[in-house]
Amino acid sequence: MTEIKDPENTIIVETTKGKVVIALFPDLAPGHVARIKELSREGAYDGVVFHRVIPDFMAQTGDVKFGKKGGESFNPGRAGMGGSSKPDLQAEFSATPHVRGTCSMARSQSPNSANSQFFICFTDAPWLNKQYSVWGQVIEGMEVIDAVKKGEPVTDPDSIISMKVAADA
């Protein structure tokens, strides 16, 4: 078990494959970190599927509208097309590289369209650098992310069972 140095800026994600611990970067992307913590504290990510998982690239999740199993708008065919009811975020791009374990916000073509969806890099993805807002890094459990069922879209996808701020766990 990794020692959690800053529980207020650490996320614990229980998935159908196991536990993942993510260190947050509030100095790098304060708005995105605040949103991840807000949605985690609301339980918005609980039950959300990994809807787009590309081998040797990344695992994407976080569609709290269409990707939440048991949610009123759950629609596996539309998972990845939704977000939360909160406003989109302003981009917080940085020079922090997208490497194995990087957690970054998904968005549309518009730089200021990130909302709730995010992805975790399986491997280095330098073409994403300075194009997406990096908000965290997996510090424990990358083997869990590696084991998430692959697909685009994913058939019978793995999901987040619970996602909590460590200070609240």
Side-chain angles (χ1 to χ4, degrees):
M1 174 82 181
T2 300
E3 180 187 352
I4 295 175
K5 295 181 174 87
D6 183 359
E8 185 56 35
N9 287 301
T10 305
I11 295 286
I12 299 171
V13 185
E14 292 289 344
T15 75
T16 48
K17 293 293 191 201
K19 183 170 101 173
V20 179
V21 180
I22 301 169
L24 301 175
F25 300 153
D27 296 342
L28 194 64
H32 290 74
V33 166
R35 175 65 56 84
I36 293 290
K37 288 166 52 172
E38 179 183 22
L39 291 172
S40 295
R41 285 187 160 128
E42 291 174 358
Y45 288 121
D46 300 356
V48 174
V49 300
F50 286 89
H51 64 271
R52 182 174 178 239
V53 185
I54 303 171
D56 301 317
F57 180 30
M58 59 89 214
Q60 187 170 330
T61 184
D63 181 345
V64 301
K65 182 174 183 179
F66 298 122
K68 186 177 178 86
K69 286 183 176 178
E72 62 183 51
S73 300
F74 179 61
N75 182 339
R78 296 201 66 201
M81 298 178 192
S84 73
S85 60
K86 301 176 188 318
D88 288 347
L89 297 163
Q90 292 295 307
E92 294 177 308
F93 300 158
S94 69
T96 300
H98 285 76
V99 297
R100 178 170 167 76
T102 295
C103 302
S104 195
M105 288 305 261
R107 62 173 178 81
S108 69
Q109 295 285 18
S110 169
N112 300 316
S113 62
N115 187 289
S116 66
Q117 291 188 47
F118 64 91
F119 59 91
I120 302 171
C121 294
F122 288 126
T123 187
D124 296 0
W127 63 92
L128 300 178
N129 294 349
K130 300 181 184 175
Q131 305 289 318
Y132 291 83
S133 299
V134 174
W135 54 264
Q137 179 70 36
V138 173
I139 57 172
E140 180 185 318
M142 262 315 288
E143 70 284 354
V144 171
I145 299 302
D146 290 338
V148 169
K149 193 182 290 183
K150 314 294 186 282
E152 193 180 5
V154 183
T155 303
D156 189 28
D158 287 302
S159 61
I160 295 169
I161 295 169
S162 73
M163 188 160 152
K164 299 192 177 337
V165 177
D168 304 338

